[in-house]
């Protein structure tokens, strides 16, 4: 999803928080077990579930994690889940055996069997993640254990279904297996317990430590489908309005639901009041957008990436996480809630057009067409031509190295009477222009080269991953373009030095 990549800067910024001064000297009451080559095997093999951190004392991220890890270890003691650590500057052989290439690396072990840890790095997140790992994918829930089970996490879902309802139970188990790192799920066949929760078979009840403490879904048929389970769990698992950070961003990203950001200075005296009012707006559009607030002073660059001006707060923007489409609202007026409600309503009803950042329309002075966002359709979505498009950055060394070869490529097609009508060679500055949402191009780095074959309403983009030579580029166009256009490469055309993508 294109919208996710915009958060790389956010993750980096949060991870680079000021170090907490944790040194090698360990607290006397530490519950984190220090492992060596001699003790590692026995520890991970004997423990049914454990978490091991591989670290280096000089690593800044390890230092930031250390106090969070200590708190988590103490809290997990009651769950009989042990946390351990390995100093890779002292245990080089052990860390090499475990394939450790960066710090910190965390692994979950079940009686010696390892799997990557993919959870948060804050104590609460670590605790929640490991508790979920300790539970069955779906737990049996009764009147006796309901209270204890629903206290396992800040969000717990119990399905109510007949013992004979194999469809609901199978669908729930499959969903639980696919999402066991994220949700705590249970099932109950008690009609009395269902009645006490105000539901009938089949149904879902969410128990939460935020917003309304309970949310219910009454099944429409005899059994619950995967879509019913997923829709309910995904929507109800997120607070109506919460601060977003690197710690919880993925919780929103995996839903695929558009993300609506309220950019605000956290020192603003109106923050609490505005968030309270916006929470009501968020409830109105539950399931259509996920609404969050974000520290505008810390993440102003993210605001600019969403095409906000970035010099005046508060501001608001919606981002389609699937397409990357951006919908900024710079002027919120005096009534923030009213402005946001109107804006989100238009978005939800499809009445807003995405904002596209575009460089000024240039004069075309080269065989390589200089594309900007405002003219993307004109030059790239040309049904009559195969269009080779390079997305570049002015500062990119590989792009600069490719430039002479790319210019020569364009000259070859422009000089051929037939090929000039069949092929267009173009480029777009990816730092000054947004990619239109209907152009399915994943810009993962520079340069990115794609081919849009000719054809009525053709929107397919084929990624080029070959050599950056004239011969390879010409062959790529000939093989993948609709016209299969070919041009001759004369000896004096030269060829760029072989350079792998």
């Amino acid at each position: 999803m294109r919208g996710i990549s915009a958060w790389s800067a956010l993750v980096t910024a949060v991870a680079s928080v000021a170090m907490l001064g944790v040194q090698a000297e360990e607290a006397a009451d530490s519950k984190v077990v220090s492992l060596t080559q001699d003790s590692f095997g026995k520890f991970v093999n004997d423990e049914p579930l454990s978490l091991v951190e591989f670290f280096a004392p000089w690593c800044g991220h390890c230092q930031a994690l250390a106090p969070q890890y200590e708190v988590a270890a103490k809290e997990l003691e009651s769950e009989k889940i042990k946390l351990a650590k390995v100093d890779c500057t002292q245990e080089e052989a052990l860390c090499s055996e475990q394939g450790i290439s960066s710090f910190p690396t965390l692994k979950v072990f079940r009686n010696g069997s390892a799997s990557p840890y993919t959870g948060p790095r804050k104590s609460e997140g670590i605790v929640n993640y490991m508790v979920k790992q300790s539970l069955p994918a779906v737990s049996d829930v009764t009147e006796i254990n309901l209270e204890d089970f629903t206290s396992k996490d800040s969000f717990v879902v119990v399905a109510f279904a007949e013992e004979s309802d194999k469809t609901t139970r199978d669908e729930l188990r499959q969903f639980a297996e696919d999402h066991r790192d994220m949700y705590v799920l249970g099932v109950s066949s008690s009609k009395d317990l269902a009645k006490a929760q105000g539901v009938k078979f089949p149904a879902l009840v969410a128990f939460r430590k935020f917003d309304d403490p309970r949310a219910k879904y009454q099944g429409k048929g005899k059994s619950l489908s995967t879509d019913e389970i997923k829709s309910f769990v995904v929507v109800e698992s997120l607070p109506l309005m919460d601060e977003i950070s690197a710690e919880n961003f993925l919780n929103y990203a995996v839903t695929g639901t558009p993300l609506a950001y309220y950019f605000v200075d956290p020192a603003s005296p109106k923050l609490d009041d505005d968030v309270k009012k916006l929470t009501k707006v968020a409830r109105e559009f539950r399931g259509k957008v996920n609404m969050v607030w974000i520290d505008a002073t810390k993440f102003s660059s993210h605001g600019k990436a969403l095409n906000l001006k970035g010099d005046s707060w508060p501001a608001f923007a919606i981002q389609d996480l699937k397409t990357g489409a951006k919908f900024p609202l710079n002027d919120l007026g005096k009534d923030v809630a009213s402005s946001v409600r109107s804006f989100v309503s238009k978005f939800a009803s499809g009445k807003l057009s995405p904002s596209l950042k575009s460089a000024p329309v240039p004069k075309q002075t080269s065989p390589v067409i200089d594309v900007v966002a405002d003219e993307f359709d004109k030059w790239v979505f040309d049904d009559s031509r195969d269009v080779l498009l390079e997305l570049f950055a002015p500062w990119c060394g590989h792009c600069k190295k490719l430039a002479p070869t790319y210019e020569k490529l364009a000259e070859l097609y422009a000089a051929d009477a037939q090929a000039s009508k069949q092929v267009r060679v173009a480029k777009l500055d990816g730092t000054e222009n947004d990619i239109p949402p209907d152009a399915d191009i994943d810009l993962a780095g520079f340069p990115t080269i794609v081919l849009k074959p000719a054809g009525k309403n053709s929107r397919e983009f084929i990624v080029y991953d070959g050599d950056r030579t004239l011969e390879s580029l010409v062959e790529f166009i000939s093989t993948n373009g609709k016209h299969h256009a070919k041009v001759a490469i004369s000896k004096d055309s030269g060829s760029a030095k072989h350079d792998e993508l």
Side-chain angles (χ1 to χ4, degrees):
M1 292 188 286
R2 297 215 309 249
I4 296 180
S5 60
W7 270 79
S8 58
L10 173 62
V11 175
T12 300
V14 173
S16 300
V17 70
M19 299 311 170
L20 300 177
V22 177
Q23 303 299 325
E25 182 178 342
E26 299 180 5
D29 60 346
S30 173
K31 300 301 180 183
V32 178
V33 180
S34 294
L35 299 176
T36 65
Q37 179 80 60
D38 293 336
S39 61
F40 179 83
K42 178 174 174 52
F43 176 86
V44 297
N45 287 322
D46 288 353
E47 293 299 322
L49 178 66
S50 61
L51 179 63
V52 180
E53 175 202 6
F54 298 85
F55 76 101
W58 47 260
C59 161
H61 294 304
C62 303
Q63 294 171 16
L65 172 63
Q68 302 292 332
Y69 204 64
E70 287 285 351
V71 171
K74 291 179 181 178
E75 292 187 14
L76 285 169
E77 191 175 21
S78 62
E79 300 288 341
K80 298 182 179 179
I81 300 173
K82 293 183 180 180
L83 269 57
K85 61 184 179 181
V86 175
D87 183 347
C88 289
T89 64
Q90 299 296 319
E91 304 294 336
E92 293 184 13
L94 173 59
C95 293
S96 178
E97 291 171 7
Q98 290 297 315
I100 307 304
S101 58
S102 61
F103 305 117
T105 292
L106 291 93
K107 290 187 178 185
V108 176
F109 286 87
R110 286 185 172 85
N111 294 120
S113 178
S115 61
Y117 172 85
T118 58
R121 300 292 176 92
K122 299 293 185 182
S123 59
E124 181 181 2
I126 296 171
V127 170
N128 289 340
Y129 185 95
M130 293 305 294
V131 167
K132 291 168 188 172
Q133 295 294 313
S134 70
L135 298 170
V138 178
S139 299
D140 289 324
V141 179
T142 65
E143 291 91 338
I144 296 175
N145 69 353
L146 176 67
E147 184 176 354
D148 178 65
F149 179 71
T150 56
S151 68
K152 295 294 184 182
D153 195 15
S154 59
F155 178 77
V156 175
V157 174
V158 177
F160 291 90
E162 298 275 9
E163 284 280 5
S164 59
D165 186 355
K166 188 174 185 299
T167 299
T168 292
R169 291 172 177 271
D170 287 349
E171 297 288 347
L172 181 68
R173 189 168 301 281
Q174 185 58 59
F175 178 81
E177 290 288 358
D178 293 341
H179 300 84
R180 68 177 303 141
D181 292 349
M182 299 183 64
Y183 308 120
V184 175
L185 300 169
V187 64
S188 175
S189 58
S190 169
K191 289 186 177 181
D192 290 339
L193 190 54
K195 184 178 180 180
Q197 302 305 319
V199 296
K200 298 178 180 179
F201 293 159
L204 297 165
V205 178
F207 298 81
R208 302 184 295 203
K209 296 179 182 177
F210 54 86
D211 296 341
D212 300 328
R214 295 185 192 180
K216 306 172 186 177
Y217 174 78
Q218 185 62 58
K220 307 300 183 185
K222 294 182 179 180
S223 300
L224 295 173
S225 68
T226 299
D227 287 342
E228 287 179 293
I229 296 169
K230 180 179 180 180
S231 297
F232 176 79
V233 173
V234 167
V235 170
E236 300 299 339
S237 65
L238 297 171
L240 286 168
M241 185 79 177
D242 196 11
E243 181 180 10
I244 196 166
S245 68
E247 284 296 312
N248 61 358
F249 172 70
L250 284 179
N251 294 339
Y252 291 91
V254 296
T255 69
T257 303
L259 195 50
Y261 302 86
Y262 176 55
F263 283 82
V264 62
D265 185 339
S268 170
K270 297 182 178 180
L271 174 60
D272 290 343
D273 188 49
D274 284 346
V275 168
K276 185 176 181 180
K277 292 177 180 177
L278 289 174
T279 299
K280 295 180 180 179
V281 178
R283 187 182 297 276
E284 294 176 31
F285 296 96
R286 183 80 152 175
K288 296 180 180 179
V289 299
N290 286 324
M291 199 172 294
V292 297
W293 73 269
I294 184 171
D295 185 338
T297 61
K298 185 182 293 184
F299 304 118
S300 60
S301 59
H302 188 57
K304 291 179 180 178
L306 295 175
N307 293 347
L308 290 170
K309 294 178 181 178
D311 57 2
S312 180
W313 312 111
F316 189 79
I318 301 175
Q319 182 180 27
D320 187 325
L321 294 178
K322 294 180 179 178
T323 67
K326 310 165 187 178
F327 303 83
L329 177 62
N330 285 288
D331 185 7
L332 292 175
K334 294 182 179 180
D335 190 339
V336 170
S338 178
S339 297
V340 168
R341 180 180 288 106
S342 176
F343 189 73
V344 176
S345 178
K346 292 177 182 176
F347 170 81
S349 59
K351 295 179 180 179
L352 290 183
S353 297
S355 167
L356 288 179
K357 180 174 67 173
S358 178
V361 175
K363 292 182 178 180
Q364 302 298 340
T365 59
S366 164
V368 179
I369 298 299
D370 190 1
V371 179
V372 296
D374 286 344
E375 290 192 323
F376 193 92
D377 286 6
K378 173 183 176 180
W379 296 117
V380 181
F381 288 146
D382 181 346
D383 293 344
S384 67
R385 298 176 190 251
D386 298 324
V387 180
L388 188 72
L389 177 67
E390 176 205 3
L391 296 101
F392 74 97
W395 44 259
C396 164
H398 290 299
C399 303
K400 293 176 182 178
K401 190 172 184 179
L402 172 63
T405 301
Y406 205 68
E407 183 79 17
K408 190 63 183 178
L409 179 72
E411 291 174 358
L412 288 175
Y413 286 100
D416 188 289
Q418 183 175 359
S420 63
K421 299 176 182 178
Q422 298 174 326
V423 175
R424 173 174 294 134
V425 178
K427 64 180 181 180
L428 179 143
D429 184 343
T431 66
E432 292 294 327
N433 298 277
D434 286 335
I435 302 171
D438 57 345
D440 188 15
I441 301 174
D442 185 10
L443 181 56
F446 298 112
T448 291
I449 301 174
V450 295
L451 178 71
K452 196 282 298 179
K456 187 176 182 180
N457 298 322
S458 172
R459 294 295 185 268
E460 177 189 14
F461 287 91
I462 303 171
V463 179
Y464 177 73
D465 59 2
D467 301 339
R468 296 192 187 113
T469 61
L470 277 177
E471 294 83 359
S472 294
L473 288 164
V474 168
E475 179 65 23
F476 176 71
I477 295 171
S478 174
T479 301
N480 296 281
K482 181 178 180 180
H483 296 299
H484 302 291
K486 295 183 179 181
V487 291
I489 303 176
S490 61
K491 292 183 179 180
D492 59 353
S493 292
S495 185
K497 182 180 179 182
H498 179 86
D499 187 12
E500 294 290 342
L501 280 169

